[in-house]
Amino acid sequence: MISVRNLSKHYDETIAVNDITFEVKQGEILGFLGPNGAGKTTTMKILTCFMPPTAGSVTVDGMDVMDHSLAVRRKIGYLPEQNPLYHDMIVLDYLRFVAELRGIPADQQNARIKRMVEVTGLKAVLGKPIGELSKGYRQRVGLAQAMVHNPEILILDEPTSGLDPNQIVEIRHLIQELGKEKTVILSTHILSEVQATCNRAIIINQGKVVADGSLHDLQAAFHGQEKITLEVKAPKNGCLEKLRALPGAQQVRELTSSNDLRRFQIEVEKGHDLREGVFDLSVREGWKLLELTRQSTSLEDVFRQLTKG
Amino acid sequence: MRNILSIYKKELRSYFNSAVAYIVITVFLLIAGWFFSSQFFLMGQATVRTVFAIIPWIFIVFVPAITMRTIAEEKKTGTIELLVTMPTRDLDIVLGKFLAALTLLGIAIAFTLAYALTAGMLGNLDTGATFAGYVGLILLGAAFLAIGLFASSMTENQIVALIIGVVIIFALFILDWVTIFLPGPLASIFEFLSLNYHFNSIARGVIDSRDVIYYLSMTGFALALSVRALESRKW
């Protein structure tokens, strides 16, 4: 559906996007992850035909964004970063304006707008000027605007920024609903957002793609970083050594210890499950095991590993 | 065409929903009316020539004030990004905004018909010259608007847009004043490029196709530059 090849974008001296390549299939919800300034917004601006790439190409349904700009733009709904809106316009007037520009036939405009108002829950504020709305409502206006023409592709630049936790859950739910029939690319630097909504993630850092795959694959690829945290009631001496002696334990750290309560963190070698061993050891030594948790590599760990430094 | 109309309607609504339209029309009529009434009875002639002489000067400041926010504000708030990623051509955006501003200016000019009617009631108004004067005003106003729009498309600061607009228009307007310092061929070029020179000849009551073509091409040129400035994100 969308194919990005060797895309680069330079602003004067700085290189915002450096030779990235990826494909997006129909019906995918792609999370575009990266630290601030990684090139997410720049890539989206090129996808939406706002500006041309310095090198490389982007095609949507086989049409180049430069050569068939108008045709590509018709397929896309776009929520830019910062969600720019005309603050002096009434919500309904604004949606009608966008519907007209999007080329929705006059007899279908009202039905489409009505549908969007239902989906985004804008009914209560339809007659208000956008400038008077809360940030959450403005974001919904932005989303309604992006979807009013029922586009095949939705490009959302940080769709939940500035929303309160309830609104975030709502918007994510909305995006998931939409993702059933549409292709969605959303950018964010909030990892839980990707985990909650996307079925695939691309991590970019300093203008380069550093990871691309389903969430499961990404986590699996960086496996081996599994950790076990345990808390035991045990005498002071010998704990550390005995834990280190367990097969599969790579590194054991004592996190806290107070009186006879101790917390340890064990990094586990790939392919081992240490929990049973820890339990047996505790039984043998007469320790009282109070807590035992396994943490597999989170997306957060993957992200930090790929984008730090 | 449909896109031009959508943008036109939106722009016009924003002029009249905000105070812009009312302020522009009121202040314009106050100034023009003062010049008309203070001269009219002194001269004892049924003519609106004095109004036509002063309106271009009012326009030099007023027209860039109308157009200053058109594109600059969209750049500042970022709405331009939405607008240009809609399936609209940049030319449609510029034309829609231009036509809306022209409509506002047209309404302001139409109100001055009151002066012409007053003069017509009190004496024998030269209808031909008055008609020509109005045609001249619309043509001149259109050229000013296009230049103002271009100024607005170059910056995201409205005040800067206003200043650039006033400076360009003023410079083009008084171009025929410097002709006495210039050698013959250069002088006639400067004279021909002057916004004022062509208006004077129309206001005399002669609608010459050269003057009409001059204003239309000036307008077209400035609008084309605005489109180019809007496209500058692609450079």
Side-chain angles (χ1 to χ4, degrees):
Chain A
M1 182 116 216
I2 301 173
S3 153
V4 175
R5 275 183 219 297
N6 305 105
L7 187 74
S8 293
K9 177 76 190 178
H10 302 191
Y11 296 111
D12 297 324
E13 295 296 295
T14 44
I15 299 171
V17 173
N18 189 1
D19 195 26
I20 66 173
T21 300
F22 62 87
E23 303 257 340
V24 188
K25 288 198 257 324
Q26 185 154 15
E28 256 180 341
I29 306 184
L30 172 71
F32 218 45
L33 269 169
N36 292 321
K40 304 185 292 279
T41 297
T42 303
T43 308
M44 291 189 149
K45 283 184 174 171
I46 296 169
L47 287 181
T48 52
C49 314
F50 179 66
M51 53 188 193
T54 309
S57 71
V58 178
T59 56
V60 174
D61 266 354
M63 292 178 297
D64 189 273
V65 289
M66 292 309 294
D67 302 337
H68 301 91
S69 180
L70 283 176
V72 169
R73 281 188 254 165
R74 268 186 207 107
K75 290 178 177 289
I76 291 178
Y78 180 34
L79 175 70
E81 196 185 20
Q82 314 289 352
N83 186 21
L85 296 165
Y86 298 103
H87 287 192
D88 58 340
M89 272 182 113
I90 308 274
V91 174
L92 182 62
D93 287 345
Y94 176 63
L95 292 179
R96 184 154 292 141
F97 170 63
V98 174
E100 281 176 16
L101 280 186
R102 284 296 184 184
I104 301 174
D107 54 333
Q108 292 168 27
Q109 279 174 14
N110 282 338
R112 277 308 301 170
I113 291 171
K114 209 174 154 200
R115 175 92 189 92
M116 280 305 106
V117 169
E118 276 166 23
V119 170
T120 53
L122 280 171
K123 193 159 188 183
V125 298
L126 263 187
K128 284 193 179 173
I130 293 170
E132 286 177 15
L133 300 184
S134 69
K135 190 144 189 195
Y137 270 119
R138 283 187 204 174
Q139 203 72 13
R140 293 182 203 198
V141 174
L143 281 167
Q145 164 277 123
M147 301 182 305
V148 72
H149 55 303
N150 202 16
E152 293 165 51
I153 301 166
L154 264 177
I155 296 184
L156 311 172
D157 202 347
E158 307 206 352
T160 59
S161 77
L163 298 184
D164 71 39
N166 291 332
Q167 293 165 335
I168 289 179
V169 171
E170 273 176 52
I171 298 288
R172 283 180 188 166
H173 188 71
L174 182 61
I175 292 170
Q176 272 177 316
E177 280 297 307
L178 291 165
K180 286 176 184 160
E181 42 193 319
K182 299 187 193 317
T183 308
V184 183
I185 302 182
L186 68 93
S187 86
T188 178
H189 51 257
I190 305 160
L191 294 148
S192 54
E193 190 141 302
V194 175
Q195 269 162 329
T197 47
C198 302
N199 40 37
R200 186 179 147 204
I202 288 180
I203 301 180
I204 68 171
N205 187 35
Q206 296 179 339
K208 280 185 173 295
V209 174
V210 287
D212 179 359
S214 71
L215 295 188
H216 186 79
D217 290 348
L218 283 184
Q219 282 166 12
F222 292 87
H223 214 68
Q225 293 277 305
E226 201 174 83
K227 287 174 196 157
I228 284 180
T229 311
L230 68 146
E231 190 171 271
V232 289
K233 217 174 206 177
K236 197 164 185 150
N237 297 325
C239 284
L240 216 53
E241 290 72 31
K242 279 167 191 145
L243 285 171
R244 285 206 175 111
L246 283 172
Q250 273 184 325
Q251 212 181 7
V252 185
R253 278 191 305 145
E254 188 161 357
L255 297 173
T256 56
S257 74
S258 59
N259 297 326
D260 50 357
L261 277 183
R262 324 186 181 282
R263 281 182 80 84
F264 295 99
Q265 193 178 54
I266 308 172
E267 279 185 22
V268 184
E269 207 175 294
K270 213 170 186 168
H272 284 265
D273 188 351
L274 222 61
R275 289 173 301 176
E276 236 174 283
V278 169
F279 178 79
D280 289 341
L281 180 70
S282 309
V283 171
R284 267 204 314 278
E285 299 290 327
W287 302 342
K288 293 192 178 70
L289 190 58
L290 301 177
E291 191 189 323
L292 178 62
T293 42
R294 181 171 70 153
Q295 299 158 308
S296 57
T297 333
S298 67
L299 191 59
E300 221 138 317
D301 295 323
V302 176
F303 180 80
R304 218 168 291 134
Q305 208 176 332
L306 287 170
T307 57
K308 73 180 169 203
Chain B
M1 199 56 216
R2 231 177 64 159
N3 291 335
I4 299 177
L5 190 65
S6 302
I7 291 166
Y8 170 78
K9 283 192 299 186
K10 184 222 143 224
E11 289 291 313
L12 206 57
R13 206 181 295 134
S14 107
Y15 281 131
F16 283 95
N17 280 346
S18 65
V20 176
Y22 306 105
I23 293 174
V24 164
I25 292 174
T26 310
V27 178
F28 169 70
L29 289 178
L30 274 176
I31 299 174
W34 185 77
F35 276 101
F36 169 68
S37 53
S38 64
Q39 303 272 314
F40 184 66
F41 296 104
L42 286 176
M43 296 209 308
Q45 274 181 349
T47 173
V48 282
R49 282 285 287 275
T50 50
V51 185
F52 288 145
I54 197 67
I55 284 180
W57 288 97
I58 305 175
F59 276 2
I60 289 176
V61 178
F62 267 74
V63 167
I66 293 174
T67 53
M68 66 180 185
R69 67 190 284 276
T70 47
I71 295 174
E73 194 180 61
E74 301 239 20
K75 282 185 164 184
K76 181 142 209 157
T77 59
T79 46
I80 195 73
E81 188 170 338
L82 271 177
L83 206 50
V84 300
T85 52
M86 302 262 172
T88 53
R89 291 173 304 159
D90 291 356
L91 176 66
D92 295 347
I93 297 170
V94 168
L95 281 180
K97 284 174 181 289
F98 169 74
L99 291 174
L102 187 62
T103 305
L104 175 61
L105 195 71
I107 292 170
I109 293 173
F111 274 111
T112 66
L113 282 171
Y115 311 144
L117 288 177
T118 311
M121 279 191 295
L122 295 173
N124 211 354
L125 184 71
D126 183 345
T127 43
T130 307
F131 175 76
Y134 275 107
V135 170
L137 271 189
I138 298 281
L139 287 171
L140 177 94
F144 280 24
L145 282 171
I147 295 169
L149 204 63
F150 168 59
S152 182
S153 68
M154 286 196 294
T155 168
E156 55 179 50
N157 184 324
Q158 293 187 32
I159 304 301
V160 173
L162 175 66
I163 294 168
I164 296 176
V166 170
V167 167
I168 299 177
I169 292 171
F170 185 68
L172 282 173
F173 192 71
I174 59 160
L175 216 52
D176 63 340
W177 290 9
V178 296
T179 48
I180 44 169
F181 304 112
L182 297 168
L186 207 57
S188 56
I189 291 173
F190 269 56
E191 194 174 68
F192 184 77
L193 284 175
S194 160
L195 286 163
N196 187 31
Y197 169 77
H198 295 274
F199 181 70
N200 287 339
S201 68
I202 294 181
R204 259 180 252 122
V206 190
I207 303 180
D208 189 327
S209 60
R210 271 176 305 178
D211 301 324
V212 175
I213 288 167
Y214 165 82
Y215 281 121
L216 292 183
S217 43
M218 203 58 150
T219 306
F221 181 64
L223 289 178
L225 284 181
S226 310
V227 175
R228 290 300 291 161
L230 200 55
E231 282 170 351
S232 67
R233 65 181 191 278
K234 295 181 179 166
W235 296 346

